[in-house]
Amino acid sequence: MKWRRGETLGVGASGMVSLALVDDQATFDHDLPCVMALKSAPLSKSGSICRERRHLNRFKGCPHVVRCFGSDTTTEEGEDWYNLFLEYASGSSLFDRIRRLGKGGLPESEARRYTKSILLGLNHVHKPGYVHCDIKPHNVVLVESESEVIKSPMNLNGKRERVEKEHTAKIADFGVAMKAGKRTKDEERSKGKLRE
C-alpha cells in the first residue's frame, strides 16, 4: 500500500498520531479505508506500539475496540520509524468531546450509548483474561458510524430521506494492556527487593 503522512493529530508518551492518506487508489486494497490514523514512533522506541498491535490482533472483530489495519516501517529523515495503521476517529476522543461541551457535559442519551460501548469492549477484552490498564476518556475514541434508521420518513421515490451519522465509542491505546495476573518488570524488581 502506498500512503503518505498527513496532518499530525496528537503527540503522546508512546509516539505521535497523524493521518495516513492512501496515495495510489489503483493499487489500494478496498477492504481498507482510504484515511486511517497512523500511530508512529522511532523504531528504537516502538515497544509500546508493537505491544499495542499484538493486543489489537487478539481483540480483532470486536466492534467496541478500535480496528488495526496492520503496520510497516519507514525511513524518514534518516531515522527508522514503526507505523501502526488504525481506524480513524473522526469524532476525536471522548475527552475532547466532553471538553467541547463544557459544563453541561454529555447529553444523557450520548453518555448511556458511550458507556454501553465501553463496557461491551471491556467485557470482550476481559473474557480471554486481559486488562486494558489505562481506561480514561483520552483512550476512548469516537468513530463515525451510520446508525440504523428506523421509522424515518420516506421521500416520493420510496427511499428513506436521511441516514443519521453518529459516533460509536471504541476503546483505544492498548500499549500498557497485559494478561491479568502477570507482573510488570517494576513489580518483579520491587518483589525481589522485599525478599532481600
Side-chain angles (χ1 to χ4, degrees), residues 19-69:
L19 289 177
L21 309 166
V22 174
D23 270 344
D24 187 358
Q25 287 292 335
T27 61
F28 180 60
D29 179 349
H30 292 285
D31 290 338
L32 298 175
C34 60
V35 176
M36 292 174 271
L38 180 69
K39 188 178 263 193
S40 303
L43 198 56
S44 61
K45 300 175 184 175
S46 64
S48 175
I49 299 175
C50 291
R51 267 191 311 280
E52 182 169 4
R53 179 177 183 191
R54 287 191 301 271
H55 290 307
L56 288 172
N57 285 340
R58 286 182 181 99
F59 312 128
K60 194 176 257 182
C62 178
H64 309 289
V65 170
V66 71
R67 291 171 59 200
C68 176
F69 301 110

Side-chain angles (χ1 to χ4, degrees), residues 2 11 27 45 59 77 96 151 156 169 179 189 195:
K2 292 184 181 181
V11 178
T27 61
K45 300 175 184 175
F59 312 128
E77 298 177 10
D96 293 330
K151 299 180 184 172
L156 295 173
K179 186 84 169 165
R189 267 188 244 124
R195 288 182 189 159

Side-chain angles (χ1 to χ4, degrees), residues 16-17 53 55-56 73-74 77 82 106 114 124 128 147 149 153 159 182 188 192:
M16 70 174 179
V17 178
R53 179 177 183 191
H55 290 307
L56 288 172
T73 56
T74 54
E77 298 177 10
Y82 181 81
L106 291 174
Y114 295 159
H124 189 87
S147 64
V149 178
K159 294 183 179 176
K182 187 175 180 181
E188 288 296 331

Side-chain angles (χ1 to χ4, degrees), residues 89-94 97 114 140-144 167-170:
S90 64
S92 198
S93 71
L94 182 56
R97 174 78 177 137
Y114 295 159
V140 174
V141 295
L142 304 177
V143 177
E144 191 173 277
H167 289 94
T168 300
K170 295 192 177 194

Side-chain angles (χ1 to χ4, degrees), residues 6-191:
E7 170 190 357
T8 299
L9 302 173
V11 178
S14 62
M16 70 174 179
V17 178
S18 52
L19 289 177
L21 309 166
V22 174
D23 270 344
D24 187 358
Q25 287 292 335
T27 61
F28 180 60
D29 179 349
H30 292 285
D31 290 338
L32 298 175
C34 60
V35 176
M36 292 174 271
L38 180 69
K39 188 178 263 193
S40 303
L43 198 56
S44 61
K45 300 175 184 175
S46 64
S48 175
I49 299 175
C50 291
R51 267 191 311 280
E52 182 169 4
R53 179 177 183 191
R54 287 191 301 271
H55 290 307
L56 288 172
N57 285 340
R58 286 182 181 99
F59 312 128
K60 194 176 257 182
C62 178
H64 309 289
V65 170
V66 71
R67 291 171 59 200
C68 176
F69 301 110
S71 64
D72 77 357
T73 56
T74 54
T75 302
E76 299 172 35
E77 298 177 10
E79 188 169 23
D80 292 331
W81 285 77
Y82 181 81
N83 305 296
L84 184 62
F85 298 96
L86 301 168
E87 186 171 20
Y88 174 58
S90 64
S92 198
S93 71
L94 182 56
F95 173 81
D96 293 330
R97 174 78 177 137
I98 293 167
R99 188 179 62 200
R100 277 192 306 270
L101 290 170
K103 291 185 179 186
L106 291 174
E108 185 180 338
S109 62
E110 209 173 312
R112 275 196 312 255
R113 191 171 71 244
Y114 295 159
T115 301
K116 181 178 180 180
S117 289
I118 294 164
L119 292 174
L120 289 169
L122 287 173
N123 186 50
H124 189 87
V125 169
H126 293 168
K127 273 186 181 176
Y130 286 86
V131 184
H132 185 279
C133 298
D134 197 19
I135 287 293
K136 59 187 178 186
H138 292 82
N139 293 336
V140 174
V141 295
L142 304 177
V143 177
E144 191 173 277
S145 63
E146 290 185 6
S147 64
E148 188 177 339
V149 178
I150 300 172
K151 299 180 184 172
S152 64
M154 291 201 179
N155 64 20
L156 295 173
N157 297 327
K159 294 183 179 176
R160 303 250 179 231
E161 287 186 356
R162 69 190 203 330
V163 174
E164 289 180 13
K165 294 281 186 176
E166 63 180 32
H167 289 94
T168 300
K170 295 192 177 194
I171 300 170
D173 202 347
F174 283 81
V176 295
M178 65 175 59
K179 186 84 169 165
K182 187 175 180 181
R183 294 185 184 274
T184 65
K185 290 178 185 176
D186 290 337
E187 288 173 326
E188 288 296 331
R189 267 188 244 124
S190 63
K191 186 178 175 184

